Amino acid sequence: MTTTSLQLAQTDSAFLEEVKEAFKQANLDFARSYYLFATARLEENYNSTEIYAKYPLLQDEATFQRLKTLYDRHPHDEEIKRLFVESLGTYIGNHFSKESDELTNLKNTLMIDVSGLDIQDAEGKTLNTVLYEDTFELFKRIPEKAKREALYARVSETYADKVTPRFIELFHKENRMFADLGYPDLVSFYSQSSGHNLAKLGEKGKQLVEETDAIYSPKMAELYQRRTGASFDQATRADISYVFHGKSDEMAHIDRKFPEADLMRMARKTFDEMGLNFSEIADTVDYRSKDEYTRSVSDPARKTRILLDIAKREGKRSRAYVYPASVPSEVYLSVKPEGGLDDYSAFFHESGHAHHFAYVSPELSYPLALMGNNTVTESYAYLFQNLFLNKHWLMNVALLTEAEAIQAIRRSALNDLYMLRRYSSKMQFELFLYQGDSLAGKPERYAELLTRGTGFRYDAEGWSRDVDAGFYVADYLTAWALEAQLREFLQTHYGSYTTQGEDWYQNPEVGVFLKCLWNDGNLTQAELSRRLEYNDPTDVGPLLRLMIQNIDR
């Protein structure tokens, strides 16, 4: 190496370390700010603009251009690729931080007028207005189809009037900026940067819908008729939450075995038995002031890694989430518990994320620890969620009878197949969505694909509420395939023959194996599949085998 090239390499190395540290600190600020706003409700607004302003290096086009040059020179360097992709997202995000913040705050404060619909809260109080975020919970509590349809119409109309125009404006601005930066073909860009073969996933999604028609359609029609008393050809998007997650006589006795008060006991028993030391690394929090919060997270003696916020408070985000502020020492898990099978399932899903982040090696660089797509961490989350498809766990930990366990598994498996078909259809739609900047015909195509895939009639106007940035849908599809590979691996290597491997969760060696995976941070989807001896993250064979087996129990 010449002196000049050596000096350049050293200069690049120092630059990369500076960028890594800036991203790491910015993530810490974003995580804490979001938690205080969306969960603790100790901040009135979430202001990413102020956070971006603290890190001018990350906003500078020169940073992006330099990372792009390094990536072009070292396309197989995983750290550089992740830094470049994150830099591009940050650069674009900073340009539109004002619009993005306004959109986020608008959605989090959007009120839906429900006067005259006779809709009540959990305590039986008649509501006149409700937060948009809280309508997701309302739909599953409304048994009357006409009332669900009326509520859906109000939600759709209000969102289309207040939010969709701003979403579309931002959508076009971001697409044009990608083009200006040299990436006019977003499908090709995200395929390259994420490691997903998006076109292949679209084709696999189409095939999955076709191949599962024979088992899905009659089972779904039967469930819909039982839940609503109507024919499945009358099903709409307004019915989905109630059909799958609403209280029902046939599931009531099972839901009662998952009381809100028992959630943490069951989680601790499961994860401690698995060798994950959950009782030691996780603790519940309920901060009453910002001063209390700041003292807690800044305490060098704090040993808790997972901060569990399971408190109920007005305005708290209803959907569970995990946000790793600093791995492995500060991981937020937020959930608004109600009890019941679905509530437990959501908590176990987020616990998979939380455990993953809590066991990442502190020696790893920030890009390898947390950057990259979400595929692999989603596979860990679904592994824990899918304990609710495990008859052995349901009978021995949740204490269901065999008949109850089989009933719960069939219902959950059908819901999973619905989700698989829904996301397969979303994958096809998003590939179509990003073909050019024009939206002509695309909302209609959304409704057509989602209706075909799920059997529930989707409306064209709903597309803007159903698009995730950066082809997140591909992460989920691949995560489901990888989780099934992981589950089969654990059953084969750590379960017993007499239970068909379903007792794998009782083997503390599983904890050793999982912690070895987690220690290496955010693996690529290809690397995880290789370690599981499948060598193809899109191999859906295990997924279909396990899903069909559970539906047909």
Side-chain angles (χ1 to χ4, degrees):
M1 180 179 286
T2 67
T3 302
T4 303
S5 61
L6 177 61
Q7 290 172 340
L8 180 61
Q10 290 173 335
T11 302
D12 286 341
S13 178
F15 164 72
L16 289 172
E17 289 305 312
E18 186 180 5
V19 172
K20 290 177 193 177
E21 183 62 23
F23 272 123
K24 181 179 178 179
Q25 292 303 316
N27 177 73
L28 178 65
D29 287 349
F30 279 121
R32 289 178 173 178
S33 180
Y34 187 78
Y35 170 76
L36 289 171
F37 167 64
T39 296
R41 303 303 293 163
L42 296 173
E43 291 279 8
E44 292 186 3
N45 291 292
Y46 176 64
N47 194 333
S48 67
T49 305
E50 291 184 359
I51 298 174
Y52 276 122
K54 292 173 60 178
Y55 302 96
L57 178 68
L58 303 182
Q59 307 169 43
D60 194 345
E61 186 173 355
T63 300
F64 161 68
Q65 294 294 350
R66 189 168 181 181
L67 285 170
K68 184 178 186 300
T69 299
L70 287 170
Y71 173 64
D72 291 340
R73 192 187 307 160
H74 307 287
H76 302 297
D77 187 305
E78 190 65 28
E79 279 193 309
I80 291 176
K81 179 171 76 172
R82 293 182 182 190
L83 286 167
F84 164 61
V85 172
E86 193 74 18
S87 175
L88 174 59
T90 300
Y91 178 69
I92 292 175
N94 179 62
H95 267 70
F96 302 119
S97 60
K98 181 177 182 293
E99 295 93 329
S100 181
D101 283 348
E102 288 175 352
L103 191 61
T104 298
N105 290 326
L106 177 59
K107 286 193 288 187
N108 276 283
T109 59
L110 183 65
M111 300 300 295
I112 309 298
D113 177 10
V114 296
S115 58
L117 298 184
D118 191 27
I119 291 176
Q120 301 173 337
D121 62 15
E123 286 72 43
K125 179 183 176 182
T126 299
L127 300 171
N128 290 316
T129 59
V130 62
L131 276 169
Y132 168 72
E133 278 285 335
D134 290 340
T135 60
F136 300 99
E137 292 299 315
L138 279 182
F139 278 110
K140 71 182 187 182
R141 295 207 302 262
I142 300 174
E144 303 91 350
K145 180 173 175 58
K147 190 180 293 187
R148 289 195 301 271
E149 298 286 358
L151 174 60
Y152 185 86
R154 297 275 183 97
V155 170
S156 185
E157 180 181 352
T158 304
Y159 196 96
D161 180 50
K162 304 292 186 182
V163 183
T164 298
R166 295 196 182 191
F167 173 84
I168 290 175
E169 180 182 6
L170 185 57
F171 175 83
H172 285 310
K173 285 182 177 180
E174 290 180 344
N175 287 354
R176 284 193 290 271
M177 176 162 277
F178 268 98
D180 291 343
L181 291 171
Y183 301 104
D185 185 345
L186 287 180
V187 174
S188 295
F189 171 75
Y190 281 117
S191 291
Q192 176 185 353
S193 62
S194 69
H196 293 304
N197 186 328
L198 297 177
K200 182 180 179 181
L201 280 173
E203 285 302 313
K204 284 216 169 190
K206 183 179 179 181
Q207 292 170 10
L208 276 168
V209 170
E210 294 171 352
E211 290 175 6
T212 56
D213 268 339
I215 190 168
Y216 175 79
S217 297
K219 297 284 186 182
M220 193 64 248
E222 179 185 341
L223 174 63
Y224 185 83
Q225 198 282 328
R226 288 203 315 271
R227 295 289 289 126
T228 68
S231 170
F232 190 40
D233 59 14
Q234 299 178 42
T236 72
R237 190 178 182 183
D239 299 323
I240 296 169
S241 290
Y242 176 75
V243 169
F244 281 115
H245 308 297
K247 302 295 183 185
S248 68
D249 292 340
E250 63 182 56
M251 293 295 293
H253 64 295
I254 294 177
D255 276 328
R256 283 194 292 271
K257 293 196 173 183
F258 297 94
E260 178 185 331
D262 207 28
L263 173 63
M264 295 310 302
R265 180 203 66 80
M266 200 176 293
R268 290 190 177 102
K269 174 177 173 57
T270 301
F271 301 135
D272 288 347
E273 195 171 59
M274 207 181 289
L276 298 178
N277 311 109
F278 182 67
S279 295
E280 299 175 17
I281 66 171
D283 200 6
T284 55
V285 296
D286 185 11
Y287 300 114
R288 302 305 175 92
S289 70
K290 284 185 67 175
D291 286 343
E292 179 190 2
Y293 166 78
T294 302
R295 287 195 302 271
S296 173
V297 297
S298 303
D299 184 357
R302 178 175 56 84
K303 294 182 179 180
T304 300
R305 300 183 185 185
I306 301 173
L307 305 175
L308 294 167
D309 193 314
I310 59 174
K312 291 184 176 181
R313 61 180 69 91
E314 185 177 355
K316 179 180 178 180
R317 173 174 165 164
S318 59
R319 285 179 285 184
Y321 73 89
V322 162
Y323 207 142
S326 178
V327 293
S329 60
E330 189 178 331
V331 180
Y332 295 95
L333 195 169
S334 172
V335 67
K336 205 171 180 180
E338 292 185 341
L341 185 66
D342 291 336
D343 200 51
Y344 274 56
S345 177
F347 179 82
F348 272 64
H349 177 99
E350 298 304 328
S351 296
H353 289 304
H355 277 93
H356 171 206
F357 298 133
Y359 280 108
V360 170
S361 169
E363 304 303 317
L364 273 183
S365 69
Y366 180 73
L368 295 181
L370 279 181
M371 284 183 167
N373 66 57
N374 293 299
T375 300
V376 167
T377 191
E378 285 297 340
S379 70
Y380 301 142
Y382 281 112
L383 176 70
F384 287 176
Q385 178 179 332
N386 285 341
L387 285 168
F388 293 84
L389 294 170
N390 184 316
K391 188 172 78 167
H392 190 275
W393 182 85
L394 287 169
M395 293 177 65
N396 289 275
V397 178
L399 304 180
L400 269 59
T401 66
E402 183 174 15
E404 289 171 336
I406 290 173
Q407 182 181 353
I409 289 168
R410 285 175 177 168
R411 172 68 70 86
S412 294
L414 183 56
N415 187 16
D416 286 351
L417 183 52
Y418 157 79
M419 289 297 293
L420 178 61
R421 289 169 62 94
R422 170 174 145 73
Y423 271 73
S424 294
S425 303
K426 279 188 64 175
M427 184 74 241
Q428 295 174 69
F429 168 67
E430 291 190 15
L431 286 169
F432 182 63
L433 175 64
Y434 288 103
Q435 291 178 9
D437 198 45
S438 172
L439 293 176
K442 292 176 179 178
E444 292 76 18
R445 182 63 173 156
Y446 166 81
E448 176 187 341
L449 285 168
L450 272 291
T451 300
R452 163 73 179 92
T454 67
F456 292 83
R457 189 173 71 254
Y458 275 65
D459 57 299
E461 293 77 12
W463 78 273
S464 63
R465 305 197 302 275
D466 205 12
V467 173
D468 299 307
F471 282 96
Y472 200 53
V473 61
D475 293 354
Y476 275 103
L477 283 175
T478 310
W480 287 329
L482 282 172
E483 184 279 330
Q485 294 177 16
L486 177 56
R487 200 176 353 150
E488 274 200 342
F489 182 92
L490 296 178
Q491 289 177 347
T492 301
H493 290 81
Y494 299 102
S496 65
Y497 176 79
T498 55
T499 67
Q500 296 181 305
E502 285 200 327
D503 59 349
W504 62 266
Y505 68 90
Q506 292 182 321
N507 189 336
E509 290 300 311
V510 166
V512 176
F513 175 75
L514 289 176
K515 283 187 277 188
C516 283
L517 292 178
W518 297 337
N519 182 75
D520 291 338
N522 190 20
L523 298 173
T524 66
Q525 53 267 39
E527 174 61 17
L528 178 57
S529 187
R530 186 192 67 78
R531 294 192 189 189
L532 299 174
E533 303 169 4
Y534 285 87
N535 298 307
D536 179 5
T538 67
D539 180 359
V540 296
L543 177 61
L544 290 177
R545 284 196 296 274
L546 291 166
M547 192 171 285
I548 291 171
Q549 170 190 313
N550 285 327
I551 289 176
D552 282 341
R553 279 184 186 262

